[in-house]
Amino acid sequence: MKQWIIIAGMLCAAGSISAQNRDSVVVQADSILIKSDTIQVGNFVIIQKNKNNRTPQEQATARHNKVVSINFDTDRPTNKKRNDNVTTNWGILDLGFANLNDNTNYTTAQSAGYLTTVNGNPVTKNSFNLNARKSSNVNIWFFMQKLNVTKHVVNLKYGLGLEMYNLRFDNNISFRNTPQPMVLNDSIPFTKNKLYVGYLTVPFMVNFNLTPSKDNGLSFSAGVSAGYLINSRNKQISGERGKQKYKGDFNLQPWRVAAIGELGLGPIRLYGSYSLNNLYKESTGLDQIPYAVGIRFSRF
């Protein structure tokens, strides 16, 4: 009975010894031997080390005795998410709706020469009416990186990708680049009439991750993006002419600067973009600001 009391007391002591003092603890009583990482009770040896780290003496003892291993290591792995200081996400996809905020003074714009009247049919604000359900924004980000600034709660996000706007018009407005850039109301109706505008864009945002220990928590980002116009065309389909594509810059602004934002709610991420400059060059007399909202398929 006395030996069991001694064993129980020594096991409790071994479990409570700090890492700094374990190497100096050696207690022996009858057939009980306690070291920093080994407790021997008769034919039983209780060791802390794993067998690959045993000393030759411990390995010899283990071959002749029954061995039980107990891990007193307090540095146990946790279920918390590991956060790297720099994280890269490849191939991000955005799917959203696009629209225009039209602030044009059409009385003044008519005199600029870009809006062309054909057969007494002038271009007005109604000519630019969009089909909101079919006007889309699709973005493909080649990569985005997140750089830790403060404890993974405050981060910087930046990347590179393509922003693509498909503005679907309800009316028969047409964009032409010859003999000079102009916009006119065509003489025939179209079953499909779309202006495509594509930019190579660099976004830059400050990200706030309110739950850095979780993969899908609450986060939001805000910042700006700068895009350069790389492609634009007017695609039209009609019974009279079939399918036609007209390419050109159509006096569109070569650079696009936008305010951007992102909201992460669990696995769902929403994004928004609002241009800070005009879609068209100032010489056109038009003042139209594109914007988009949608869903982002991204890991962070």
Side-chain angles (χ1 to χ4, degrees):
M1 184 70 172
K2 183 177 179 181
Q3 288 183 343
W4 286 108
I5 294 172
I6 293 173
I7 293 170
M10 292 308 175
L11 286 173
C12 292
S16 61
I17 293 170
S18 65
Q20 292 84 353
N21 297 327
R22 285 179 188 167
D23 291 339
S24 63
V25 176
V26 178
V27 180
Q28 184 172 1
D30 294 330
S31 61
I32 303 170
L33 176 63
I34 300 180
K35 296 182 180 180
S36 63
D37 54 11
T38 306
I39 301 174
Q40 182 174 342
V41 184
N43 289 332
F44 290 90
V45 179
I46 302 174
I47 62 173
Q48 177 182 356
K49 291 182 180 179
N50 115 2
K51 72 177 182 179
N52 295 327
N53 294 326
R54 295 177 193 167
T55 65
Q57 182 180 357
E58 290 170 339
Q59 292 178 12
T61 303
R63 283 193 295 269
H64 295 89
N65 297 282
K66 297 178 181 179
V67 178
V68 179
S69 296
I70 299 178
N71 184 12
F72 294 110
D73 190 1
T74 57
D75 298 328
R76 295 176 181 176
T78 65
N79 293 326
K80 289 186 177 180
K81 171 190 170 186
R82 176 185 173 183
N83 290 304
D84 296 324
N85 286 329
V86 179
T87 308
T88 304
N89 193 0
W90 303 94
I92 301 166
L93 176 65
D94 293 348
L95 296 176
F97 294 98
N99 214 319
L100 293 172
N101 185 10
D102 193 350
N103 301 310
T104 303
N105 183 332
Y106 282 88
T107 301
T108 304
Q110 293 291 346
S111 61
Y114 180 65
L115 305 181
T116 304
T117 300
V118 177
N119 297 326
N121 189 9
V123 177
T124 65
K125 187 172 185 175
N126 290 335
S127 302
F128 288 94
N129 284 346
L130 290 179
N131 185 327
R133 293 184 299 106
K134 295 183 179 181
S135 295
S136 64
N137 169 230
V138 178
N139 305 320
I140 299 175
W141 304 103
F142 306 133
F143 76 93
M144 276 197 183
Q145 281 190 329
K146 183 169 66 173
L147 174 65
N148 172 40
V149 176
T150 306
K151 298 181 178 180
H152 302 282
V153 174
V154 180
N155 309 277
L156 297 179
K157 288 184 69 173
Y158 49 87
L160 176 68
L162 293 174
E163 287 187 294
M164 295 168 282
Y165 287 81
N166 294 285
L167 303 174
R168 187 79 171 263
F169 298 101
D170 276 335
N171 297 313
N172 58 340
I173 192 170
S174 295
F175 295 80
R176 298 292 184 266
N177 220 40
T178 56
Q180 62 185 19
M182 60 180 165
V183 174
L184 55 94
N185 285 320
D186 214 312
S187 58
I188 63 171
F190 300 103
T191 56
K192 183 175 183 179
N193 188 13
K194 179 182 75 172
L195 176 65
Y196 168 84
V197 185
Y199 301 92
L200 182 65
T201 300
V202 175
F204 186 86
M205 294 180 285
V206 178
N207 167 259
F208 298 91
N209 187 358
L210 304 184
T211 52
S213 62
K214 297 181 180 179
D215 284 321
N216 294 315
L218 175 62
S219 66
F220 61 92
S221 308
V224 296
S225 67
Y228 182 73
L229 180 68
I230 58 173
N231 196 1
S232 56
R233 58 182 178 267
N234 184 199
K235 180 179 178 180
Q236 298 174 324
I237 300 177
S238 64
E240 290 84 350
R241 301 173 188 165
K243 181 188 297 185
Q244 292 182 308
K245 291 182 182 180
Y246 300 91
K247 297 181 180 181
D249 64 8
F250 308 125
N251 267 353
L252 299 173
Q253 197 72 256
W255 288 96
R256 177 177 182 265
V257 180
I260 57 176
E262 180 188 66
L263 177 63
L265 298 170
I268 300 174
R269 299 191 180 277
L270 306 177
Y271 77 93
S273 174
Y274 190 90
S275 290
L276 299 177
N277 62 330
N278 192 358
L279 177 62
Y280 301 90
K281 293 180 180 178
E282 186 177 353
S283 60
T284 63
L286 293 174
D287 185 6
Q288 296 182 0
I289 306 298
Y291 61 91
V293 292
I295 298 177
R296 174 162 290 166
F297 298 91
S298 171
R299 287 193 297 109
F300 61 75

